[in-house]
Amino acid sequence: MLKTFTLGGVHPEENKFSSHKKIEVLPVPPVVTIPLSQHIGAPAKVLVNKGDRVKIGQVIAESGGFVSANIHSSVSGTVLKVEAFPDSTGYRRMSVQIQSEGDEWVDGVDLSTDLKKDFDFSSEEIIQKIIASGLVGLGGATFPSHVKLSIPQGKKAEYLIVNAVECEPYLTADHSLMLEKGEEIMVGTRIMMKALKVEKAIFGIENNKPDAIELMSRLAEREKGITVVALKVKYPQGGEKQLVQALINREVPSGALPIDVGVVAFNVGSIYAAYQAVQKNKPLIERVVTVTGKSVKNPSNFLTRIGTPVQALIDAVGGLPEDTGKVVNGGPMMGKAISSLDVPVVKGSSGILVIPDTEANRHETENCIRCSKCVSACPMGLEPYLLMSLAEREYFGRMETEKVMDCMECGSCSYTCPSSRPLLDYIRLGKGNVTQIIRARKN
Amino acid sequence: MSIFTVSPSPHVHSGQSVPRLMYGVVIALLPALAVSVFYFGIGMIIITAVSVISCVLFEFLFQKYLLKNPSTHLDGSAALTGLLLAFCLPANLPWWMVAIGALVSIGIAKMTFGGLGNNIFNPALVGRVFLFISFPAAMTSYPKPGQWWEYMDATTGATPLGIMSESLANNMPVSEIMAGMPSNLDLFLGKMLGSAGEVAAFALLLGLVYLLWKKIISWHIPVSILLTVIIFTGALSLGNPEKYPSPLFHLLTGGLLLGAIFMATDYVTSPMTVKGMIIYGIGIGVITILIRTFGAYPEGVQFAILLMNGFTPLINKYVKPKRFGEVKHG
Ligand code: SF4
Ligand code: SF4
């Protein structure tokens, strides 16, 4: 029996159209727009002004606190504007817009594609290099990586878990990266193990990627302490808590982090980026983005510079399909719908999903028939129907005791509801209010 | 203005819907319906048609003229209530009584609570109990199987459960009573007297397989009811086999299978969590056997379900799912 997590979960159609497409390098766009806040935490502080010349890999905004990350220029050229532009959240965010001219890198970056296996850095040196590179969680959560690598006093990491689940339907960025950069990912894993001072690393890969499981297992055989585990396909297995439970059967307590059960988890894309940062001194200026959808002519995976407008990616797959109803930054379960193709690719953009108009709108909402399907689908053991009705009546205090803050916003409840109730919309509303209640209580 | 739809995640849906689920249950009832038509002929056809049509019609009329809310009469839930109501009535019941039952089911048990999703008690069972109290004679005379062209004029008799309870009251030992009963095979195939849709054990079990396969229901409620009945009646009959009939007899007769598979699993009136479903199932099993064994009526499954329906809000309030990462105290 393949391992998986125990509570809840759903099985959306996988639709991984681009899973065997090679990663193509998307041409550098003429203009990039790089937001200063591409991560969870404080926005970075801008270091450049309009008219400045910048190089590829130059820090254009520095980390604004411990939980923050550096931002680098992904092109060489001239700063056109430093002002607020809409990003994929729909809000306007302070950004640096740069016109690309030439191909000039900062000094010290190793641009060769040679595999560099050996390293001799201490844990602290690795963390410093990661901080310098601006690495954040590339699975979509965008949590600054160095924060996870800095183990708090009194806690100890035992395992590094490499999250290669890619449980979101349609997305194949991590899959294609493993197939093409397996060796580099293994080096990256050893680097992260060293940084965390752990002896054991486990890859979690869902069983719908047999070629990746096979390849990574073969590569892992040569390494000490690295194992690869095939998992039964079930959404949201890529949720950190679900993955930790599936792999080592430890339950991260409510309100706690994986480190509280001795685990630090990184997305496989972040592991690859760590390799680039440590072995090649290359900051995070590009990432793999899947561009896909049912009507998309040629679903593909692109190595894309941060700040590239979504439009450029859409053009690269044969243009926007006629029947487009919605464009999502990310996967269909947790991604954000964007209102314009001008918004830029950011560090957390794992995919661009084009949804045809026949599927873009929700069904009409019906009465809750108390079928309990949302309860059995919830991976956190919550009662979404109840949380929604509490939110409707504004009983936010009761929502807190019903554990609304444990909700990981995976969307399994709304996905599964036969009455098409907007469960997660109301739960988010409740979470917002409960956050305020908790904050007020602390002050 | 953007030409794209911008709405919060998730952006995909399972495609599941209320009509799909309701008609799924209807499909699961079709084998039992076919067998019942085979045994009770024209009577089964008439009461089923009257019940389904009246339920849908009453739902339409109530929503249109009284509640004035969007009409849901075709979502399958009213048709399902109609089908289930017919299934727990004798096949020779006068059609107008059937229509009254439908009126009570839809008008009182469903619509006064605010329609689908808000009622506390299973509408079909409320309709049945109302008829049982109002027309006790008609509701306890059952046609013998095999009279295709007889409806209200069919010859009637007593059900196996009725015979059992009466003979036990006259101090006959179980072995002697069983000698006069249809064989276990006949009971399994449904060749006995009983409510129109409850007789065919094998067809109802087929329906259960379909419901589980299509993931329309989970196993927890039917299995916990049936297991409870088996354990409870098994213990009684082991203690005194001449006073208490065997678990098999209990399983194959009366409305137990129909109730456990189709009535107790009604979404609206059953608990929301796995633990809650099991408590509810055990409760139904115990109460059913208590009524059958020690109560005034030979059959108790309908009352047992209604009673546990009444406890469902309480169960939902206090029985919570296992939360992920619950901090274990003590
Ligand atoms: S979105 Fe929240 S409430 Fe809904 S299934 Fe996921 S964790 Fe549960
Ligand atoms: S899935 Fe929808 S209809 Fe079913 S209980 Fe949850 S909210 Fe109600």
Side-chain angles (χ1 to χ4, degrees):
Chain A
M1 267 275 276
L2 290 174
K3 291 184 179 185
T4 187
F5 57 100
T6 50
L7 286 184
V10 291
H11 295 96
E13 269 180 52
E14 292 171 21
N15 294 330
K16 304 246 184 196
F17 306 131
S18 48
S19 59
H20 293 100
K21 294 281 180 66
K22 283 250 176 287
I23 300 172
E24 294 167 54
V25 179
L26 190 81
V28 178
V31 174
V32 291
T33 310
I34 305 176
L36 301 183
S37 184
Q38 301 181 36
H39 46 261
I40 289 179
K45 287 187 289 232
V46 66
L47 299 176
V48 292
N49 292 306
K50 183 176 168 180
D52 287 1
R53 297 273 309 162
V54 293
K55 294 179 182 171
I56 309 175
Q58 180 178 333
V59 179
I60 51 173
E62 64 175 357
S63 171
F66 178 59
V67 184
S68 182
N70 287 340
I71 308 273
H72 304 77
S73 178
S74 58
V75 296
S76 62
T78 315
V79 175
L80 291 179
K81 283 175 186 164
V82 179
E83 58 178 61
F85 287 95
D87 71 0
S88 59
T89 59
Y91 295 107
R92 299 177 80 82
R93 294 267 170 89
M94 211 41 161
S95 308
V96 178
Q97 195 167 64
I98 306 165
Q99 175 156 11
S100 169
E101 295 140 5
D103 182 34
E104 215 182 320
W105 287 73
V106 289
D107 296 334
V109 179
D110 175 355
L111 290 173
S112 73
T113 52
D114 309 340
L115 176 67
K116 200 168 157 204
K117 280 194 155 173
D118 302 317
F119 58 91
D120 186 23
F121 300 112
S122 69
S123 172
E124 287 66 36
E125 284 167 331
I126 294 171
I127 295 176
Q128 282 316 314
K129 277 171 167 278
I130 301 273
I131 291 177
S133 78
L135 185 60
V136 302
L138 298 186
T142 66
F143 195 74
S145 299
H146 65 270
V147 182
K148 285 189 181 177
L149 289 173
S150 320
I151 311 293
Q153 282 264 307
K155 294 185 182 159
K156 197 179 160 352
E158 241 181 284
Y159 289 96
L160 163 67
I161 282 183
V162 181
N163 188 343
V165 172
E166 206 163 47
C167 62
E168 275 273 11
Y170 292 92
L171 303 188
T172 59
D174 292 347
H175 187 184
S176 58
L177 194 63
M178 281 189 280
L179 293 182
E180 289 178 41
K181 305 287 178 194
E183 301 261 15
E184 286 83 351
I185 290 168
M186 279 299 155
V187 180
T189 306
R190 281 197 286 117
I191 290 172
M192 292 306 226
M193 287 167 77
K194 179 81 182 280
L196 290 165
K197 302 184 180 119
V198 299
E199 305 292 321
K200 289 176 277 191
I202 311 177
F203 277 70
I205 310 179
E206 281 191 340
N207 208 27
N208 54 1
K209 299 179 259 297
D211 46 357
I213 295 172
E214 204 263 331
L215 175 66
M216 298 317 280
S217 304
R218 194 150 41 78
L219 295 174
E221 267 168 27
R222 307 198 299 242
E223 310 282 346
K224 209 170 137 273
I226 304 181
T227 48
V228 175
V229 176
L231 298 164
K232 193 173 158 217
V233 177
K234 187 161 80 166
Y235 178 87
Q237 192 136 244
E240 265 188 356
K241 292 183 172 188
Q242 279 66 33
L243 184 59
V244 170
Q245 196 210 22
L247 290 175
I248 60 165
N249 197 20
R250 290 186 193 172
E251 211 169 295
V252 180
S254 167
L257 293 169
I259 187 63
D260 294 302
V261 295
V263 175
V264 176
F266 282 103
N267 165 267
V268 68
S270 308
I271 298 278
Y272 176 70
Y275 163 85
Q276 295 283 1
V278 174
Q279 298 294 72
K280 306 271 177 169
N281 286 326
K282 193 173 178 185
L284 184 61
I285 52 117
E286 59 194 2
R287 66 156 300 147
V288 181
V289 182
T290 301
V291 187
T292 183
K294 285 189 181 160
S295 311
V296 167
K297 277 204 201 85
N298 184 19
S300 311
N301 307 299
F302 294 104
L303 186 63
T304 312
R305 296 284 169 98
I306 303 297
T308 302
V310 169
Q311 181 74 56
L313 284 166
I314 297 285
D315 292 342
V317 291
L320 196 67
E322 288 252 323
D323 63 353
T324 299
K326 195 193 258 185
V327 181
V328 174
N329 175 21
M333 294 299 286
M334 294 183 77
K336 287 203 163 64
I338 56 179
S339 57
S340 140
L341 297 181
D342 298 334
V343 305
V345 165
V346 289
K347 293 177 180 178
S349 307
S350 41
I352 300 297
L353 169 64
V354 180
I355 298 179
D357 48 17
T358 47
E359 293 173 28
N361 295 305
R362 296 192 179 170
H363 310 282
E364 219 172 297
T365 302
E366 314 272 352
N367 279 3
C368 169
I369 57 167
R370 309 177 73 81
C371 65
S372 82
K373 290 193 183 298
C374 54
V375 181
S376 21
C378 179
M380 297 309 292
L382 308 179
E383 296 158 283
Y385 81 97
L386 175 68
L387 294 172
M388 173 166 171
S389 83
L390 292 173
E392 279 177 314
R393 290 177 283 158
E394 302 190 356
Y395 289 172
F396 299 121
R398 181 73 202 287
M399 289 186 83
E400 191 185 352
T401 49
E402 298 290 351
K403 295 274 174 203
V404 71
M405 296 313 285
D406 281 354
C407 169
M408 60 186 282
E409 305 192 18
C410 69
S412 300
C413 48
S414 302
Y415 168 82
T416 210
C417 177
S419 289
S420 298
R421 297 179 69 73
L423 295 160
L424 180 51
D425 299 2
Y426 278 88
I427 290 169
R428 281 200 190 97
L429 175 87
K431 281 179 82 173
N433 281 282
V434 172
T435 309
Q436 282 174 16
I437 294 174
I438 294 173
R439 209 174 283 150
R441 198 161 49 214
K442 277 193 185 141
N443 295 334
Chain B
M1 255 318 281
S2 155
I3 47 156
F4 303 137
T5 306
V6 178
S7 55
S9 64
H11 306 287
V12 279
H13 187 259
S14 58
Q16 198 53 273
S17 68
V18 176
R20 269 185 63 177
L21 290 170
M22 295 296 163
Y23 288 116
V25 184
V26 170
I27 289 171
L29 282 166
L30 291 181
L33 179 64
V35 177
S36 295
V37 170
F38 176 75
Y39 287 128
F40 301 117
I42 188 86
M44 182 68 194
I45 295 174
I46 294 173
I47 63 162
T48 306
V50 171
S51 180
V52 172
I53 294 171
S54 337
C55 281
V56 175
L57 189 70
F58 288 134
E59 174 130 340
F60 172 74
L61 295 175
F62 271 92
Q63 286 186 320
K64 179 139 194 199
Y65 296 106
L66 278 174
L67 300 173
K68 308 209 189 298
N69 53 18
S71 189
T72 53
H73 65 289
L74 293 179
D75 71 4
S77 67
L80 179 58
T81 299
L83 203 53
L84 286 173
L85 175 65
F87 270 43
C88 57
L89 301 176
N92 60 350
L93 198 73
W95 64 267
W96 53 272
M97 289 189 195
V98 179
I100 292 176
L103 180 63
V104 173
S105 288
I106 297 296
I108 295 177
K110 188 173 178 186
M111 287 305 163
T112 50
F113 287 93
L116 183 64
N118 298 315
N119 48 300
I120 294 176
F121 298 102
N122 184 313
L125 287 180
V126 172
R128 183 199 137 97
V129 167
F130 179 84
L131 292 175
F132 187 72
I133 295 168
S134 317
F135 310 105
M139 285 291 290
T140 47
S141 95
Y142 294 91
K144 291 186 174 151
Q147 313 173 68
W148 284 20
W149 304 108
E150 265 77 20
Y151 170 36
M152 288 196 262
D153 44 1
T155 356
T156 62
T159 63
L161 277 179
I163 297 171
M164 179 61 76
S165 115
E166 184 147 351
S167 312
L168 284 174
N170 294 330
N171 290 322
M172 261 168 88
V174 168
S175 54
E176 221 168 284
I177 308 170
M178 287 306 288
M181 289 283 177
S183 70
N184 279 336
L185 182 66
D186 278 351
L187 293 182
F188 185 66
L189 295 177
K191 198 164 174 229
M192 65 173 133
L193 285 79
S195 294
E198 72 185 21
V199 291
F202 79 96
L204 294 167
L205 289 170
L206 211 65
L208 175 63
V209 171
Y210 182 81
L211 292 179
L212 293 175
W213 174 50
K214 288 282 171 189
K215 295 204 166 73
I216 296 172
I217 62 166
S218 67
W219 57 269
H220 305 88
I221 293 175
V223 169
S224 57
I225 296 178
L226 298 177
L227 266 186
T228 305
V229 166
I230 291 171
I231 293 170
F232 193 3
T233 56
L236 288 173
S237 112
L238 274 183
N240 189 348
E242 289 304 351
K243 201 157 169 257
Y244 303 105
S246 71
L248 190 64
F249 178 78
H250 276 287
L251 284 185
L252 295 179
T253 57
L256 184 63
L257 287 177
L258 178 66
I261 299 169
F262 291 99
M263 305 274 192
T265 54
D266 169 41
Y267 289 144
V268 180
T269 56
S270 63
M272 302 294 277
T273 64
V274 166
K275 266 183 273 174
M277 290 176 190
I278 291 173
I279 294 172
Y280 167 89
I282 293 174
I284 292 174
V286 169
I287 298 167
T288 302
I289 299 309
L290 285 179
I291 298 177
R292 281 188 179 186
T293 312
F294 308 107
Y297 300 109
E299 175 56 304
V301 69
Q302 294 93 4
F303 289 113
I305 294 172
L306 285 173
L307 211 67
M308 291 310 291
N309 285 166
F311 277 111
T312 295
L314 209 66
I315 295 177
N316 283 339
K317 183 145 182 221
Y318 291 106
V319 182
K320 294 286 150 186
K322 188 209 164 298
R323 312 279 196 205
F324 188 102
E326 209 157 17
V327 188
K328 289 163 198 88
H329 296 286

